[in-house]
């Protein structure tokens, strides 16, 4: 007490760790090429892949995409350390095109062929992650209707920088697994 003013009992600095900081968008198949196996189909599956780059399980309950695509994660949706999760525009067509690969769920809408922002938010509407891709300028051209997907070269890079992205190693991409052009992810980052 100094006259009529009290000092704090104790001063401390706190760092807020958001459990979703370890989530990264690692692959976007936004403008797939027509498939010879299903030439008449309007539903060539698009997909988006998320990666948990931390050493802890990430609870996705309550997260939803507020921009780009429409998808809300159900209660108890979790992503294990180093695991990948794939959302697709058509689960049935996805299973035909990528046999043995399981999609976590379907999204409504579609990924814009000309590029757009994809924004994931928490239940309160706070931004969890945002990625904005394009099909012009310095962005890789192979994913724009030629069959390749858009793959981040390294999840620690700025996902809004076109130099951080490249075309997938093979036509159709590699949903649910590391792209062949780089080592599998198992390194723990962003642990606080």
């Amino acid at each position: 007490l100094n006259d009529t003013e009290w000092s704090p009992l104790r001063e401390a600095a706190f760092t807020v760790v958001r459990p979703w900081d370890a989530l990264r968008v690692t692959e976007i198949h936004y403008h797939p090429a027509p498939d010879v196996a299903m030439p008449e189909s309007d539903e060539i599956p698009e997909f988006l892949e998320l990666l948990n780059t931390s050493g802890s399980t990430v609870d996705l309950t309550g997260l939803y995409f507020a921009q780009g695509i429409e998808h809300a994660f159900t209660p108890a949706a979790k992503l294990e350390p180093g695991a990948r999760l794939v959302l697709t525009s058509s689960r049935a067509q996805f299973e035909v095109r990528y046999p043995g690969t399981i999609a976590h769920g379907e999204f409504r809408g579609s990924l814009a062929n000309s590029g757009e922002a994809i924004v994931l938010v928490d239940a309160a509407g706070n931004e969890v992650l945002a990625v904005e891709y394009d099909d012009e300028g310095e962005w890789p051209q192979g994913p724009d209707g030629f069959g390749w997907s858009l793959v981040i070269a390294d999840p620690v890079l700025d996902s809004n920088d076109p130099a951080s992205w490249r075309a997938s190693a093979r036509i159709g991409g590699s949903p649910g697994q590391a792209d062949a052009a780089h080592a599998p992810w198992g390194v723990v980052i962003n642990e606080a």
Side-chain angles (χ1 to χ4, degrees), residues 1-7:
L1 179 64
N2 185 4
D3 273 337
T4 59
E5 189 175 323
W6 286 92
S7 66

Side-chain angles (χ1 to χ4, degrees), residues 17-37:
V17 177
R18 298 179 342 145
W20 308 296
D21 285 347
L23 287 178
R24 300 286 186 273
V25 172
T26 51
E27 189 167 4
I28 305 169
H29 200 33
Y30 66 92
H31 190 182
D35 193 327
V36 184

Side-chain angles (χ1 to χ4, degrees), residues 35 49 76 138 160 165:
D35 193 327
E49 179 185 84
E138 297 177 25
N160 291 303
W165 296 86

Side-chain angles (χ1 to χ4, degrees), residues 27-35 44-45 47 97-98 141-150 167-175:
E27 189 167 4
I28 305 169
H29 200 33
Y30 66 92
H31 190 182
D35 193 327
I44 303 299
F47 67 82
R97 193 167 216 193
Y98 304 100
Q141 296 303 301
D144 191 19
F146 297 103
W148 288 272
S149 64
L150 192 60
S168 58
R170 64 177 187 235
I171 298 284
S174 57

